[in-house]
PDB file of all heavy atoms in Angstrom:
ATOM      1  N   LYS A 228     -64.774-172.445 -98.272  1.00 93.00           N
ATOM      2  CA  LYS A 228     -65.958-171.692 -98.668  1.00 93.00           C
ATOM      3  C   LYS A 228     -67.014-172.584 -99.308  1.00 93.00           C
ATOM      4  O   LYS A 228     -67.934-172.102 -99.975  1.00 93.00           O
ATOM      5  CB  LYS A 228     -65.556-170.554 -99.614  1.00 93.00           C
ATOM      6  CG  LYS A 228     -64.576-169.563 -98.981  1.00 93.00           C
ATOM      7  CD  LYS A 228     -64.159-168.482 -99.948  1.00 93.00           C
ATOM      8  CE  LYS A 228     -63.169-167.517 -99.287  1.00 93.00           C
ATOM      9  NZ  LYS A 228     -63.767-166.750 -98.192  1.00 93.00           N
ATOM     10  N   GLY A 229     -66.856-173.902 -99.136  1.00 94.00           N
ATOM     11  CA  GLY A 229     -67.825-174.836 -99.677  1.00 94.00           C
ATOM     12  C   GLY A 229     -67.713-175.053-101.169  1.00 94.00           C
ATOM     13  O   GLY A 229     -68.676-175.476-101.822  1.00 94.00           O
ATOM     14  N   LEU A 230     -66.545-174.781-101.717  1.00 96.00           N
ATOM     15  CA  LEU A 230     -66.320-174.890-103.158  1.00 96.00           C
ATOM     16  C   LEU A 230     -65.328-176.011-103.456  1.00 96.00           C
ATOM     17  O   LEU A 230     -64.377-176.220-102.704  1.00 96.00           O
ATOM     18  CB  LEU A 230     -65.780-173.565-103.701  1.00 96.00           C
ATOM     19  CG  LEU A 230     -66.693-172.351-103.490  1.00 96.00           C
ATOM     20  CD1 LEU A 230     -65.921-171.062-103.744  1.00 96.00           C
ATOM     21  CD2 LEU A 230     -67.914-172.431-104.410  1.00 96.00           C
ATOM     22  N   ASP A 231     -65.554-176.722-104.571  1.00 97.00           N
ATOM     23  CA  ASP A 231     -64.696-177.832-104.954  1.00 97.00           C
ATOM     24  C   ASP A 231     -63.937-177.504-106.238  1.00 97.00           C
ATOM     25  O   ASP A 231     -64.543-177.284-107.292  1.00 97.00           O
ATOM     26  CB  ASP A 231     -65.530-179.103-105.180  1.00 97.00           C
ATOM     27  CG  ASP A 231     -66.227-179.563-103.911  1.00 97.00           C
ATOM     28  OD1 ASP A 231     -65.564-179.610-102.864  1.00 97.00           O
ATOM     29  OD2 ASP A 231     -67.437-179.866-103.976  1.00 97.00           O
ATOM     30  N   LEU A 232     -62.610-177.484-106.145  1.00 98.00           N
ATOM     31  CA  LEU A 232     -61.771-177.224-107.311  1.00 98.00           C
ATOM     32  C   LEU A 232     -61.582-178.505-108.103  1.00 98.00           C
ATOM     33  O   LEU A 232     -61.066-179.492-107.588  1.00 98.00           O
ATOM     34  CB  LEU A 232     -60.410-176.676-106.865  1.00 98.00           C
ATOM     35  CG  LEU A 232     -59.393-176.396-107.976  1.00 98.00           C
ATOM     36  CD1 LEU A 232     -59.893-175.292-108.901  1.00 98.00           C
ATOM     37  CD2 LEU A 232     -58.043-176.028-107.383  1.00 98.00           C
ATOM     38  N   TYR A 233     -61.990-178.499-109.378  1.00 98.00           N
ATOM     39  CA  TYR A 233     -61.835-179.664-110.252  1.00 98.00           C
ATOM     40  C   TYR A 233     -60.534-179.587-111.037  1.00 98.00           C
ATOM     41  O   TYR A 233     -59.836-180.580-111.194  1.00 98.00           O
ATOM     42  CB  TYR A 233     -63.018-179.780-111.214  1.00 98.00           C
ATOM     43  CG  TYR A 233     -64.235-180.458-110.627  1.00 98.00           C
ATOM     44  CD1 TYR A 233     -64.560-180.335-109.274  1.00 98.00           C
ATOM     45  CD2 TYR A 233     -65.083-181.213-111.422  1.00 98.00           C
ATOM     46  CE1 TYR A 233     -65.676-180.956-108.742  1.00 98.00           C
ATOM     47  CE2 TYR A 233     -66.209-181.848-110.890  1.00 98.00           C
ATOM     48  CZ  TYR A 233     -66.500-181.708-109.557  1.00 98.00           C
ATOM     49  OH  TYR A 233     -67.608-182.326-109.015  1.00 98.00           O
ATOM     50  N   ASP A 234     -60.230-178.421-111.574  1.00 97.00           N
ATOM     51  CA  ASP A 234     -58.948-178.235-112.260  1.00 97.00           C
ATOM     52  C   ASP A 234     -58.609-176.759-112.341  1.00 97.00           C
ATOM     53  O   ASP A 234     -59.464-175.894-112.156  1.00 97.00           O
ATOM     54  CB  ASP A 234     -58.933-178.886-113.658  1.00 97.00           C
ATOM     55  CG  ASP A 234     -60.059-178.414-114.566  1.00 97.00           C
ATOM     56  OD1 ASP A 234     -60.265-177.196-114.677  1.00 97.00           O
ATOM     57  OD2 ASP A 234     -60.735-179.266-115.164  1.00 97.00           O
ATOM     58  N   ILE A 235     -57.339-176.479-112.589  1.00 97.00           N
ATOM     59  CA  ILE A 235     -56.853-175.096-112.643  1.00 97.00           C
ATOM     60  C   ILE A 235     -55.643-175.042-113.561  1.00 97.00           C
ATOM     61  O   ILE A 235     -54.889-176.013-113.664  1.00 97.00           O
ATOM     62  CB  ILE A 235     -56.491-174.602-111.221  1.00 97.00           C
ATOM     63  CG1 ILE A 235     -56.061-173.129-111.240  1.00 97.00           C
ATOM     64  CG2 ILE A 235     -55.416-175.468-110.579  1.00 97.00           C
ATOM     65  CD1 ILE A 235     -55.970-172.509-109.839  1.00 97.00           C
ATOM     66  N   LYS A 236     -55.490-173.936-114.268  1.00 95.00           N
ATOM     67  CA  LYS A 236     -54.332-173.809-115.154  1.00 95.00           C
ATOM     68  C   LYS A 236     -53.477-172.616-114.752  1.00 95.00           C
ATOM     69  O   LYS A 236     -53.974-171.600-114.281  1.00 95.00           O
ATOM     70  CB  LYS A 236     -54.766-173.692-116.618  1.00 95.00           C
ATOM     71  CG  LYS A 236     -55.568-172.471-116.989  1.00 95.00           C
ATOM     72  CD  LYS A 236     -55.957-172.532-118.468  1.00 95.00           C
ATOM     73  CE  LYS A 236     -56.830-171.339-118.857  1.00 95.00           C
ATOM     74  NZ  LYS A 236     -57.273-171.421-120.272  1.00 95.00           N
ATOM     75  N   PHE A 237     -52.177-172.784-114.926  1.00 96.00           N
ATOM     76  CA  PHE A 237     -51.188-171.780-114.555  1.00 96.00           C
ATOM     77  C   PHE A 237     -50.233-171.522-115.715  1.00 96.00           C
ATOM     78  O   PHE A 237     -50.195-172.262-116.697  1.00 96.00           O
ATOM     79  CB  PHE A 237     -50.340-172.256-113.368  1.00 96.00           C
ATOM     80  CG  PHE A 237     -51.091-172.539-112.112  1.00 96.00           C
ATOM     81  CD1 PHE A 237     -51.179-173.839-111.630  1.00 96.00           C
ATOM     82  CD2 PHE A 237     -51.682-171.523-111.380  1.00 96.00           C
ATOM     83  CE1 PHE A 237     -51.851-174.114-110.451  1.00 96.00           C
ATOM     84  CE2 PHE A 237     -52.356-171.783-110.203  1.00 96.00           C
ATOM     85  CZ  PHE A 237     -52.442-173.085-109.737  1.00 96.00           C
ATOM     86  N   GLU A 238     -49.433-170.473-115.523  1.00 96.00           N
ATOM     87  CA  GLU A 238     -48.283-170.238-116.393  1.00 96.00           C
ATOM     88  C   GLU A 238     -47.081-169.960-115.494  1.00 96.00           C
ATOM     89  O   GLU A 238     -47.219-169.332-114.448  1.00 96.00           O
ATOM     90  CB  GLU A 238     -48.530-169.076-117.350  1.00 96.00           C
ATOM     91  CG  GLU A 238     -49.574-169.380-118.421  1.00 96.00           C
ATOM     92  CD  GLU A 238     -49.703-168.272-119.437  1.00 96.00           C
ATOM     93  OE1 GLU A 238     -48.644-167.771-119.896  1.00 96.00           O
ATOM     94  OE2 GLU A 238     -50.834-167.895-119.767  1.00 96.00           O
ATOM     95  N   PHE A 239     -45.927-170.434-115.926  1.00 98.00           N
ATOM     96  CA  PHE A 239     -44.692-170.210-115.179  1.00 98.00           C
ATOM     97  C   PHE A 239     -43.651-169.578-116.092  1.00 98.00           C
ATOM     98  O   PHE A 239     -43.739-169.634-117.312  1.00 98.00           O
ATOM     99  CB  PHE A 239     -44.149-171.535-114.631  1.00 98.00           C
ATOM    100  CG  PHE A 239     -44.952-172.115-113.507  1.00 98.00           C
ATOM    101  CD1 PHE A 239     -46.059-172.903-113.758  1.00 98.00           C
ATOM    102  CD2 PHE A 239     -44.603-171.856-112.187  1.00 98.00           C
ATOM    103  CE1 PHE A 239     -46.814-173.438-112.729  1.00 98.00           C
ATOM    104  CE2 PHE A 239     -45.343-172.392-111.145  1.00 98.00           C
ATOM    105  CZ  PHE A 239     -46.448-173.182-111.415  1.00 98.00           C
ATOM    106  N   GLY A 240     -42.651-168.968-115.457  1.00 97.00           N
ATOM    107  CA  GLY A 240     -41.561-168.379-116.209  1.00 97.00           C
ATOM    108  C   GLY A 240     -40.283-168.417-115.384  1.00 97.00           C
ATOM    109  O   GLY A 240     -40.262-168.939-114.270  1.00 97.00           O
ATOM    110  N   ILE A 241     -39.237-167.843-115.951  1.00 97.00           N
ATOM    111  CA  ILE A 241     -37.930-167.789-115.297  1.00 97.00           C
ATOM    112  C   ILE A 241     -37.625-166.344-114.927  1.00 97.00           C
ATOM    113  O   ILE A 241     -37.688-165.456-115.783  1.00 97.00           O
ATOM    114  CB  ILE A 241     -36.829-168.333-116.230  1.00 97.00           C
ATOM    115  CG1 ILE A 241     -37.100-169.786-116.596  1.00 97.00           C
ATOM    116  CG2 ILE A 241     -35.470-168.201-115.573  1.00 97.00           C
ATOM    117  CD1 ILE A 241     -37.025-170.734-115.438  1.00 97.00           C
ATOM    118  N   ASP A 242     -37.298-166.103-113.646  1.00 95.00           N
ATOM    119  CA  ASP A 242     -36.964-164.741-113.244  1.00 95.00           C
ATOM    120  C   ASP A 242     -35.489-164.446-113.512  1.00 95.00           C
ATOM    121  O   ASP A 242     -34.768-165.271-114.102  1.00 95.00           O
ATOM    122  CB  ASP A 242     -37.331-164.510-111.777  1.00 95.00           C
ATOM    123  CG  ASP A 242     -36.481-165.330-110.800  1.00 95.00           C
ATOM    124  OD1 ASP A 242     -35.497-165.964-111.234  1.00 95.00           O
ATOM    125  OD2 ASP A 242     -36.796-165.313-109.599  1.00 95.00           O
ATOM    126  N   LYS A 243     -35.017-163.287-113.051  1.00 93.00           N
ATOM    127  CA  LYS A 243     -33.639-162.862-113.343  1.00 93.00           C
ATOM    128  C   LYS A 243     -32.604-163.771-112.695  1.00 93.00           C
ATOM    129  O   LYS A 243     -31.435-163.780-113.092  1.00 93.00           O
ATOM    130  CB  LYS A 243     -33.426-161.429-112.873  1.00 93.00           C
ATOM    131  CG  LYS A 243     -33.587-161.227-111.376  1.00 93.00           C
ATOM    132  CD  LYS A 243     -33.382-159.768-110.998  1.00 93.00           C
ATOM    133  CE  LYS A 243     -33.523-159.569-109.490  1.00 93.00           C
ATOM    134  NZ  LYS A 243     -33.340-158.151-109.110  1.00 93.00           N
ATOM    135  N   ASN A 244     -33.029-164.556-111.696  1.00 94.00           N
ATOM    136  CA  ASN A 244     -32.124-165.499-111.032  1.00 94.00           C
ATOM    137  C   ASN A 244     -32.258-166.914-111.581  1.00 94.00           C
ATOM    138  O   ASN A 244     -31.769-167.864-110.967  1.00 94.00           O
ATOM    139  CB  ASN A 244     -32.408-165.499-109.522  1.00 94.00           C
ATOM    140  CG  ASN A 244     -32.192-164.142-108.885  1.00 94.00           C
ATOM    141  OD1 ASN A 244     -31.203-163.461-109.157  1.00 94.00           O
ATOM    142  ND2 ASN A 244     -33.129-163.723-108.041  1.00 94.00           N
ATOM    143  N   ASP A 245     -32.937-167.039-112.726  1.00 94.00           N
ATOM    144  CA  ASP A 245     -33.166-168.335-113.374  1.00 94.00           C
ATOM    145  C   ASP A 245     -33.983-169.286-112.493  1.00 94.00           C
ATOM    146  O   ASP A 245     -33.844-170.505-112.583  1.00 94.00           O
ATOM    147  CB  ASP A 245     -31.843-169.013-113.763  1.00 94.00           C
ATOM    148  CG  ASP A 245     -31.158-168.317-114.930  1.00 94.00           C
ATOM    149  OD1 ASP A 245     -31.886-167.746-115.769  1.00 94.00           O
ATOM    150  OD2 ASP A 245     -29.929-168.333-114.994  1.00 94.00           O
ATOM    151  N   GLU A 246     -34.826-168.717-111.656  1.00 96.00           N
ATOM    152  CA  GLU A 246     -35.695-169.531-110.804  1.00 96.00           C
ATOM    153  C   GLU A 246     -37.077-169.627-111.434  1.00 96.00           C
ATOM    154  O   GLU A 246     -37.597-168.643-111.986  1.00 96.00           O
ATOM    155  CB  GLU A 246     -35.799-168.918-109.412  1.00 96.00           C
ATOM    156  CG  GLU A 246     -36.604-169.765-108.438  1.00 96.00           C
ATOM    157  CD  GLU A 246     -36.601-169.219-107.029  1.00 96.00           C
ATOM    158  OE1 GLU A 246     -35.874-168.241-106.770  1.00 96.00           O
ATOM    159  OE2 GLU A 246     -37.322-169.766-106.178  1.00 96.00           O
ATOM    160  N   VAL A 247     -37.680-170.800-111.353  1.00 97.00           N
ATOM    161  CA  VAL A 247     -39.027-171.001-111.883  1.00 97.00           C
ATOM    162  C   VAL A 247     -40.028-170.342-110.940  1.00 97.00           C
ATOM    163  O   VAL A 247     -40.087-170.672-109.752  1.00 97.00           O
ATOM    164  CB  VAL A 247     -39.350-172.501-112.018  1.00 97.00           C
ATOM    165  CG1 VAL A 247     -40.788-172.696-112.502  1.00 97.00           C
ATOM    166  CG2 VAL A 247     -38.374-173.176-112.974  1.00 97.00           C
ATOM    167  N   ILE A 248     -40.805-169.386-111.469  1.00 97.00           N
ATOM    168  CA  ILE A 248     -41.796-168.702-110.640  1.00 97.00           C
ATOM    169  C   ILE A 248     -43.158-168.686-111.333  1.00 97.00           C
ATOM    170  O   ILE A 248     -43.254-168.779-112.561  1.00 97.00           O
ATOM    171  CB  ILE A 248     -41.378-167.247-110.317  1.00 97.00           C
ATOM    172  CG1 ILE A 248     -41.318-166.403-111.596  1.00 97.00           C
ATOM    173  CG2 ILE A 248     -40.059-167.214-109.579  1.00 97.00           C
ATOM    174  CD1 ILE A 248     -41.158-164.899-111.326  1.00 97.00           C
ATOM    175  N   LEU A 249     -44.201-168.558-110.543  1.00 97.00           N
ATOM    176  CA  LEU A 249     -45.560-168.472-111.076  1.00 97.00           C
ATOM    177  C   LEU A 249     -45.787-167.088-111.660  1.00 97.00           C
ATOM    178  O   LEU A 249     -45.470-166.075-111.035  1.00 97.00           O
ATOM    179  CB  LEU A 249     -46.566-168.730-109.951  1.00 97.00           C
ATOM    180  CG  LEU A 249     -48.046-168.665-110.350  1.00 97.00           C
ATOM    181  CD1 LEU A 249     -48.394-169.835-111.270  1.00 97.00           C
ATOM    182  CD2 LEU A 249     -48.922-168.696-109.106  1.00 97.00           C
ATOM    183  N   ILE A 250     -46.351-167.037-112.872  1.00 95.00           N
ATOM    184  CA  ILE A 250     -46.673-165.764-113.511  1.00 95.00           C
ATOM    185  C   ILE A 250     -48.165-165.760-113.873  1.00 95.00           C
ATOM    186  O   ILE A 250     -48.914-166.626-113.447  1.00 95.00           O
ATOM    187  CB  ILE A 250     -45.789-165.518-114.755  1.00 95.00           C
ATOM    188  CG1 ILE A 250     -46.023-166.600-115.819  1.00 95.00           C
ATOM    189  CG2 ILE A 250     -44.313-165.487-114.374  1.00 95.00           C
ATOM    190  CD1 ILE A 250     -45.277-166.330-117.142  1.00 95.00           C
ATOM    191  N   ASP A 251     -48.591-164.762-114.616  1.00 89.00           N
ATOM    192  CA  ASP A 251     -49.974-164.639-115.085  1.00 89.00           C
ATOM    193  C   ASP A 251     -50.928-164.366-113.928  1.00 89.00           C
ATOM    194  O   ASP A 251     -50.743-163.406-113.205  1.00 89.00           O
ATOM    195  CB  ASP A 251     -50.377-165.866-115.890  1.00 89.00           C
ATOM    196  CG  ASP A 251     -51.618-165.609-116.750  1.00 89.00           C
ATOM    197  OD1 ASP A 251     -51.673-164.531-117.362  1.00 89.00           O
ATOM    198  OD2 ASP A 251     -52.506-166.462-116.793  1.00 89.00           O
ATOM    199  N   GLU A 252     -51.926-165.228-113.687  1.00 90.00           N
ATOM    200  CA  GLU A 252     -52.949-164.951-112.694  1.00 90.00           C
ATOM    201  C   GLU A 252     -53.418-166.226-112.002  1.00 90.00           C
ATOM    202  O   GLU A 252     -53.129-167.337-112.448  1.00 90.00           O
ATOM    203  CB  GLU A 252     -54.152-164.262-113.344  1.00 90.00           C
ATOM    204  CG  GLU A 252     -54.847-165.142-114.384  1.00 90.00           C
ATOM    205  CD  GLU A 252     -56.015-164.448-115.060  1.00 90.00           C
ATOM    206  OE1 GLU A 252     -56.516-163.442-114.539  1.00 90.00           O
ATOM    207  OE2 GLU A 252     -56.439-164.934-116.127  1.00 90.00           O
ATOM    208  N   ILE A 253     -54.144-166.049-110.908  1.00 94.00           N
ATOM    209  CA  ILE A 253     -54.834-167.157-110.239  1.00 94.00           C
ATOM    210  C   ILE A 253     -56.261-166.674-110.038  1.00 94.00           C
ATOM    211  O   ILE A 253     -56.578-166.050-109.032  1.00 94.00           O
ATOM    212  CB  ILE A 253     -54.217-167.504-108.874  1.00 94.00           C
ATOM    213  CG1 ILE A 253     -52.709-167.707-108.986  1.00 94.00           C
ATOM    214  CG2 ILE A 253     -54.868-168.755-108.298  1.00 94.00           C
ATOM    215  CD1 ILE A 253     -52.036-167.932-107.640  1.00 94.00           C
ATOM    216  N   ALA A 254     -57.110-166.916-111.012  1.00 87.00           N
ATOM    217  CA  ALA A 254     -58.437-166.318-110.982  1.00 87.00           C
ATOM    218  C   ALA A 254     -59.503-167.282-111.456  1.00 87.00           C
ATOM    219  O   ALA A 254     -59.224-168.361-111.984  1.00 87.00           O
ATOM    220  CB  ALA A 254     -58.443-165.050-111.838  1.00 87.00           C
TER     221      ALA A 254
END
């Protein structure tokens, strides 16, 4: 879309299977 991503922040957590998954948002 002609946009340049410089940086982005995330949060991760552990689900019921002890797997690392992305939580929060991507906005």
Side-chain angles (χ1 to χ4, degrees):
K228 300 178 181 294
L230 300 166
D231 297 313
L232 178 64
Y233 277 33
D234 55 49
I235 183 168
K236 64 182 177 183
F237 299 113
E238 291 186 45
F239 289 85
I241 299 294
D242 67 8
K243 62 181 181 181
N244 299 316
D245 289 330
E246 184 175 354
V247 177
I248 64 170
L249 180 68
I250 62 174
D251 198 43
E252 63 182 342
I253 309 175

